[in-house]
Amino acid sequence: MTRKSPRTLITTAALTMAVSLAGTAAFAAPAKKKAAKAAPAVAATTAAVVAYASRDDAMQLAADIAARRDLPADWVRAQISEARNLPVVTKLMTPAGKTFVKNWTVYRSRFIDPVRIRAGVQFWQANRRALERAEQQFGVPAEIIVGIIGVETIYGRNMGNFRVMDALATLTLDFPQSHPRAQARTDYFRGELEQVLVTANRTGSDPFALRGSYAGAMGLGQFMPTSWDKFAIDFDGDGRIDLFNSATDAIGSVANYFVGYGWKPGLPTVFPVDMRAEGQNLAALLAPDINPTFTATQMAERGVRVMGAEGYDRPLALIELKNGSSGPTEYIAGTENFYAVTRYNWSAFYALSVIQLGREVHEAYLSSQTAARN
């Protein structure tokens, strides 16, 4: 997921070959042809920025990271010195001035559209064997993996063009203090910045070759650096891990990520509900938010009948999907696997978009297979 000086470290081309062997999740750089195509956009995002070399707090951060992670102090200082403050990243992290009104219908329309569905079908066709193998090996349905990669990057079309080091340094040193969770978020991004440095130092690679989102997420599945280190795998068997250019590695890594966060093979993600709860009963059911807490029987006692869950005795969460002025609030029951999807992004809207996009793509893929046979 995104985000030397002296350029004495290896080149971008060499970096692609310096990725991990068995068990070591090093970063691979984007392919040269992709980097070249994206160069103008990178320049645009960094044209009016300032390097952190002149900041005392940045140099203190470098010293702290070097000491805590047992890294060469001069090397860490050189990397932090070359990182640049990106005001656009700070702006993107700044809460909007007006109150945000949750609207599931609007949110869904951003991710489940003809463009993503067509791209998803092409992705499924091109990577059918890898998806089947991942589902068999990890127990994560292909449509969930396809849904994630589609929501995150439109199947590699939009993986982000920020230098990861710049984005993560900015979010560590200049996270907007107006944010309600400023300190927690600062600490989180500092950990991600440290992981980039640890991995680059271990592999002799150039951390500034990495490109990703304004939050530091990388590759087809938008893994943050710590997730890359923990869950990225060499699924295509070429001896290296590359989530930028290898769809097979990305597919296996997304599946491995879900297993790491408690995915339970064979369980559904959601159930429809017959909603009758109100007042204190509704408030009690919604209190745990997305955390599965109640059985179907306990939900029924409070006025929510879970459809199709006869004999299902595992915990469920009542998920509220507000639609603002667009229509009435919708409800579903989320399982432990729904909760696992939210570990990618702590949002019920996000998780349901992944699930529904994957389902739509799967149906379109099956239709394309039928049409091809006829």
Side-chain angles (χ1 to χ4, degrees):
M1 296 180 139
T2 313
R3 312 231 248 281
K4 130 175 172 123
S5 121
R7 302 272 180 189
T8 54
L9 300 180
I10 63 177
T11 64
T12 299
L15 178 62
T16 310
M17 301 304 298
V19 289
S20 65
L21 299 175
T24 306
F27 303 125
K32 268 192 170 182
K33 60 181 180 180
K34 293 183 180 179
K37 182 178 180 181
V42 174
T45 62
T46 58
V49 299
V50 177
Y52 277 109
S54 62
R55 292 259 300 259
D56 291 343
D57 60 339
M59 295 303 96
Q60 184 59 55
L61 172 67
D64 292 346
I65 291 174
R68 184 169 56 258
R69 304 305 292 265
D70 193 26
L71 297 172
D74 290 346
W75 180 84
V76 176
R77 190 178 305 110
Q79 312 317 306
I80 300 296
S81 293
E82 188 171 335
R84 294 175 287 191
N85 173 276
L86 301 181
V88 65
V89 168
T90 306
K91 184 177 181 180
L92 288 167
M93 282 289 178
T94 303
K98 59 182 180 180
T99 302
F100 175 71
V101 178
K102 290 185 176 181
N103 189 314
W104 160 239
T105 301
V106 172
Y107 186 97
R108 182 186 187 278
S109 69
R110 297 173 186 163
F111 299 104
I112 304 173
D113 59 19
V115 171
R116 273 187 170 83
I117 292 171
R118 284 194 299 270
V121 170
Q122 293 169 357
F123 182 84
W124 203 311
Q125 291 169 339
N127 298 285
R128 174 180 58 82
R129 291 182 179 177
L131 288 165
E132 290 174 352
R133 184 158 57 91
E135 183 166 343
Q136 181 178 23
Q137 181 173 330
F138 296 99
V140 179
E143 63 183 53
I144 296 295
I145 301 170
V146 168
I148 284 286
I149 296 175
V151 166
E152 289 292 337
T153 64
I154 318 181
Y155 307 101
R157 296 184 184 183
N158 183 17
M159 292 191 287
N161 234 354
F162 291 88
R163 291 200 313 180
V164 170
M165 280 292 294
D166 294 338
L168 293 178
T170 299
L171 293 171
T172 299
L173 290 160
D174 291 291
F175 194 90
Q177 293 305 298
S178 58
H179 193 284
R181 298 179 61 239
Q183 188 56 56
R185 300 307 289 162
T186 296
D187 293 344
Y188 168 75
F189 286 114
R190 174 174 173 155
E192 299 300 330
L193 175 62
E194 290 185 8
Q195 185 61 57
V196 171
L197 293 169
V198 167
T199 301
N201 182 261
R202 183 181 69 225
T203 60
S205 58
D206 180 0
F208 288 92
L210 301 172
R211 297 291 187 273
S213 76
Y214 70 88
M218 300 177 286
L220 279 87
Q222 293 291 275
F223 273 29
M224 292 298 287
T226 55
S227 292
W228 190 311
D229 186 66
K230 292 176 183 176
F231 303 114
I233 61 173
D234 172 21
F235 201 52
D236 62 13
D238 68 353
R240 57 195 183 95
I241 298 172
D242 183 356
L243 305 189
F244 292 103
N245 309 303
S246 171
T248 300
D249 282 359
I251 287 166
S253 298
V254 168
N256 191 44
Y257 180 96
F258 279 124
V259 170
Y261 278 99
W263 183 273
K264 293 176 172 52
L267 289 190
T269 53
V270 297
F271 290 103
V273 299
D274 177 15
M275 188 68 191
R276 306 291 176 87
E278 56 185 6
Q280 291 185 346
N281 281 331
L282 178 58
L285 289 171
L286 293 175
D289 196 21
I290 56 180
N291 294 284
T293 305
F294 303 97
T295 64
T297 299
Q298 290 171 328
M299 282 191 168
E301 291 170 352
R302 290 169 172 79
V304 177
R305 186 161 68 94
V306 183
M307 312 293 286
E310 294 78 9
Y312 189 88
D313 59 0
R314 302 190 68 86
L316 298 163
L318 183 64
I319 306 298
E320 184 179 53
L321 304 167
K322 293 183 177 180
N323 280 305
S325 59
S326 300
T329 298
E330 301 173 45
Y331 296 90
I332 56 172
T335 71
E336 292 154 285
N337 279 350
F338 182 88
Y339 183 79
V341 178
T342 68
R343 299 311 83 198
Y344 223 95
N345 183 314
W346 197 290
S347 163
F349 281 16
Y350 173 90
L352 193 55
S353 292
V354 166
I355 292 164
Q356 293 191 357
L357 175 62
R359 186 178 302 152
E360 293 278 350
V361 172
H362 189 202
E363 291 176 359
Y365 168 74
L366 293 176
S367 296
S368 73
Q369 296 298 98
T370 300
R373 286 193 296 270
N374 295 334

